[in-house]
Amino acid sequence: MGRRWAARLSLAAGVAALLVLVVFGGLVSLVLMGVGWAGLALSAAGVWWMLTHTGRIRVLAVLLLVAVPLAVLALYAAAGLLWVVLVSLGLWALAVFAGRAVLVEDAPPAMPEHPARRPERPFLIMNPRSGGGKVTKFRLAERARALGAEVVVLDPDRPQDVAQLAREAVRRGADLLGVAGGDGTQALVAGVAVAHDLPFVVISAGTRNHFALDLGLDRKNPARCLEALTDGVELRVDLGYLRAGGPEEPEEPAEPGTEVVFVNSASFGVYAEVVQSPAYRDDKVRTILEMLPDLLAQESGARLSVRGDGPVLEAPQAVLVSNNPYQRGDSAGLGRRERLDTGELGVLGVHVGSAAEAAELLLRGGQQGRGLTETTAREVVVDADAPVIPVGVDGEALTLPTPVRCRLAPGALRVRVPRHRPGVRLGAPPMDWRRVRRLALTMGRAAAGRGPA
């Protein structure tokens, strides 16, 4: 019953948003809505010109970004219809929110959980610098040792090979490996865990914790992740691998250590080029603004070619290959992956060649279309017109020989998680008005006893 009324609320709010414009503003309000859309397009063009030019053109683009929204609001106010537009937008937001709340219930089920016994000799690596010092703030090392774990806290002033530390722990008899740190460190130790078929624990002590997010772990209190040592269940998730250079289809499986592991994603193109710069860590914004014009115009950097299960993607400016696809509409790859066990890579390619294409991409809300390619594949090969290319792997900057072959090992990683955890919050799917209408009408007939739900 609740779902039926949510669908009806969505439809009613959408209709009301249009009626408010027509009844209180007439044709003038519709014209002003068109002005609003034009303002969005001009703003997107301004962003494009700001990123692809320097000097006077960049200054003019910034002025355009400031002036256009102010001009649109001034036109609304002058016509006495600012309140009408704001009410209409509020109703439209309510319609979309209610509609997505209905559709989210159709999302695929959560990853299955498997029973897991308590480890006897768990081994954990902790990075005290990750996440602004969460290891110290939450006393993670002390709490883990109290649960019987062997803990190595990395020395911030001395680089250490975390994969080698994990391998040495396995030789001493460790029956579980874990990491409190960033996703890049998680990936290195996860590769060792897979090689020795050991369970792996993720402690959300990093800054962004994308992997922990999609596992349903508590990112606000990483200490709760330690409950996996005493009352845990096991998830079987996929693990990503990059094989650099050599044949695209090797005759024999790769030797351990010859492939680069990733738990989230590998990025190629603009982002990977920028993070390679030595100046990036000291001044991110300035470095991006200085490098982007040449990179987006493809006057610098390698020309990429991406081959997956579908057509070849030629000369994209940026490519994101992810361990399982991100939700549709999450074009930046910054949101959620509904599952980590589909056995498919997510592939996102971006090629924007003009201000018009940048505006179209914004107005489409990041949906697939001109300038954006979104697909899945079992394997992906990224080639280039250069012998080596920069690659961003789980936030770490690498340089790899071409071609770079991306693959998944389905269900290879045994992730131990707490039995009780916040869980994976289902993200909002793209709005589908036809489906919302069908649900509202079909469920209504079912409630009246006139048809199936």
Side-chain angles (χ1 to χ4, degrees):
M1 182 67 70
R3 193 180 185 198
R4 173 175 55 127
W5 283 107
R8 289 181 170 182
L9 173 62
S10 176
L11 294 178
V15 172
L18 297 176
L19 287 178
V20 166
L21 288 175
V22 174
V23 172
F24 293 97
L27 293 177
V28 176
S29 67
L30 298 180
V31 171
L32 291 180
M33 285 299 293
V35 170
W37 283 106
L40 281 175
L42 282 175
S43 297
V47 171
W48 174 256
W49 290 323
M50 184 188 70
L51 295 178
T52 55
H53 293 82
T54 58
R56 293 181 179 178
I57 295 181
R58 175 171 284 176
V59 173
L60 291 174
V62 173
L63 292 176
L64 181 67
L65 285 173
V66 175
V68 167
L70 293 177
V72 171
L73 291 175
L75 284 173
Y76 289 165
L81 295 176
L82 181 58
W83 72 271
V84 174
V85 174
L86 293 177
V87 170
S88 179
L89 290 175
L91 288 169
W92 190 257
L94 174 62
V96 173
F97 177 81
R100 288 184 169 183
V102 172
L103 296 176
V104 78
E105 296 188 28
D106 294 331
M111 293 181 289
E113 299 177 353
H114 305 280
R117 64 176 179 82
R118 180 168 179 167
E120 296 179 0
R121 301 189 64 180
F123 176 79
L124 305 178
I125 297 173
M126 298 189 178
N127 185 349
R129 283 186 173 176
S130 291
K134 289 182 180 178
V135 168
T136 301
K137 177 181 178 181
F138 290 92
R139 300 177 52 250
L140 296 180
E142 295 88 336
R143 294 183 179 191
R145 291 184 179 116
L147 296 175
E150 179 185 354
V151 179
V152 170
V153 179
L154 300 178
D155 185 345
D157 300 320
R158 183 170 61 90
Q160 292 172 272
D161 187 338
V162 294
Q164 183 59 32
L165 289 174
R167 285 189 286 267
E168 292 173 356
V170 173
R171 283 195 289 270
R172 294 196 301 270
D175 58 355
L176 177 145
L177 301 176
V179 172
D183 290 329
T185 308
Q186 300 279 359
L188 292 172
V189 179
V192 178
V194 169
H196 296 277
D197 192 28
L198 292 179
F200 178 68
V201 163
V202 176
I203 303 171
S204 55
T207 302
R208 297 178 182 85
N209 297 297
H210 287 304
F211 193 43
L213 173 71
D214 296 327
L215 290 170
L217 299 176
D218 191 333
R219 296 192 300 167
K220 295 181 179 179
N221 182 7
R224 289 192 59 188
C225 299
L226 293 173
E227 295 174 12
L229 300 179
T230 56
D231 185 21
V233 294
E234 193 168 285
L235 306 177
R236 301 302 297 257
V237 307
D238 306 333
L239 192 62
Y241 289 90
L242 301 178
R243 183 183 180 90
E248 295 178 11
E249 296 183 1
E251 296 179 359
E252 298 180 358
E255 293 293 329
T258 61
E259 292 182 299
V260 179
V261 178
F262 64 95
V263 294
N264 291 323
S265 62
S267 59
F268 306 82
V270 171
Y271 172 74
E273 294 274 3
V274 169
V275 298
Q276 292 286 330
S277 171
Y280 177 75
R281 292 191 181 275
D282 295 329
D283 194 341
K284 292 181 173 61
V285 174
R286 182 176 179 179
T287 304
I288 291 171
L289 291 176
E290 287 180 350
M291 296 182 65
L292 274 183
D294 288 341
L295 291 172
L296 291 175
Q298 297 193 331
E299 294 178 1
S300 65
R303 186 180 188 276
L304 302 178
S305 174
V306 182
R307 300 191 297 278
D309 296 343
V312 176
L313 180 60
E314 294 288 356
Q317 292 153 325
V319 177
L320 182 79
V321 179
S322 58
N323 175 6
N324 284 261
Y326 284 92
Q327 293 172 354
R328 288 189 59 193
D330 178 27
S331 304
L334 300 176
R336 305 295 298 266
R337 289 167 290 181
E338 294 175 340
R339 298 187 68 123
L340 293 169
D341 60 351
T342 67
E344 288 190 317
L345 295 162
V347 184
L348 179 71
V350 179
H351 187 284
V352 180
S354 66
E357 291 183 3
E360 179 185 350
L361 193 60
L362 174 65
L363 295 177
R364 290 177 62 90
Q367 298 297 312
Q368 182 162 334
R370 188 172 63 165
L372 180 67
T373 301
E374 192 174 9
T375 185
T376 60
R378 294 288 178 178
E379 293 185 343
V380 174
V381 178
V382 180
D383 210 342
D385 59 355
V388 296
I389 56 173
V391 186
V393 182
D394 286 338
E396 301 295 328
L398 302 178
T399 301
L400 299 177
T402 56
V404 178
R405 180 169 174 261
C406 312
R407 70 176 182 89
L408 281 185
L413 184 60
R414 300 167 51 193
V415 181
R416 188 72 56 84
V417 296
R419 187 182 306 276
H420 304 291
R421 59 193 188 279
V424 176
R425 176 181 55 83
L426 297 177
M431 189 61 182
D432 186 342
W433 289 107
R434 290 183 179 180
R435 176 146 183 78
V436 171
R437 177 179 177 275
R438 187 164 58 248
L439 287 171
L441 298 178
T442 301
M443 296 181 75
R445 288 195 298 269
R450 294 193 295 271

